[in-house]
Amino acid sequence: MLDTILFVDDDPITLMLCKKVISKAAFSNQIITAQNGEEAINLFHTLLNNAEKTVPELIFLDLNMPIMGGWEFLAEFSKPTFEQFHDIKVIVLSSTIDPEDLEKIKEFPMVMDFLPKPISLSTLNKVAEALD
């Protein structure tokens, strides 16, 4: 079981469903949420300045969000500013799997998988196996 994960998605219903599935699967002790990439980047800025805060061990990231989408988040998060967090694995979640997106994720070594929404118990089991 992971201690903390970050879920970045702008859809409150998706967030609620994911929290339920994650709790049911006993996948993580704590779920931090952000409604877009900018909120997630701000969270990591806070973590840079506060060693006492809990750093997520895994990020579930939606691609299509207002303000700052998943691709913009990954571009910003990949910068040297956030180097100490580059070992955190990212799972991109999307309701559509575009072959171009599958190619684009190869640009970001921290992305470990690209999965369809919504997450399910079987999806979480596969992720847990991949993390072991």
Side-chain angles (χ1 to χ4, degrees):
M1 177 187 288
L2 297 176
D3 185 46
T4 304
I5 60 172
L6 170 62
F7 215 101
V8 186
D9 197 308
D10 62 318
D11 181 12
I13 294 168
T14 298
L15 287 173
M16 181 190 68
L17 290 172
C18 290
K19 282 182 178 182
K20 285 187 183 224
V21 171
I22 289 166
S23 294
K24 189 173 187 172
F27 185 78
S28 175
N29 290 323
Q30 180 180 8
I31 303 167
I32 303 168
T33 60
Q35 293 191 11
N36 57 59
E38 184 178 73
E39 279 187 20
I41 288 295
N42 289 340
L43 169 77
F44 284 103
H45 274 293
T46 301
L47 292 171
L48 283 171
N49 301 318
N50 187 347
E52 313 234 335
K53 289 259 189 186
T54 305
V55 175
E57 297 165 86
L58 180 68
I59 301 170
F60 285 99
L61 178 67
D62 184 25
L63 288 181
N64 300 312
M65 297 175 284
I67 302 171
M68 179 187 278
W71 294 124
E72 293 85 2
F73 167 81
L74 286 168
E76 187 68 25
F77 191 63
S78 296
K79 291 181 178 176
T81 305
F82 300 105
E83 189 171 9
Q84 75 185 68
F85 304 120
H86 287 175
D87 61 337
I88 298 172
K89 295 296 180 194
V90 177
I91 295 178
V92 173
L93 296 173
S94 185
S95 47
T96 59
I97 295 185
D98 181 337
E100 287 181 28
D101 289 342
L102 292 171
E103 279 302 306
K104 192 170 183 175
I105 63 169
K106 294 176 183 173
E107 298 171 24
F108 302 100
M110 73 257 311
V111 176
M112 67 179 274
D113 212 342
F114 192 110
L115 301 172
K117 280 184 178 182
I119 61 169
S120 63
L121 287 172
S122 63
T123 301
L124 288 178
N125 288 335
K126 288 178 192 171
V127 170
E129 287 174 20
L131 289 170
D132 282 343

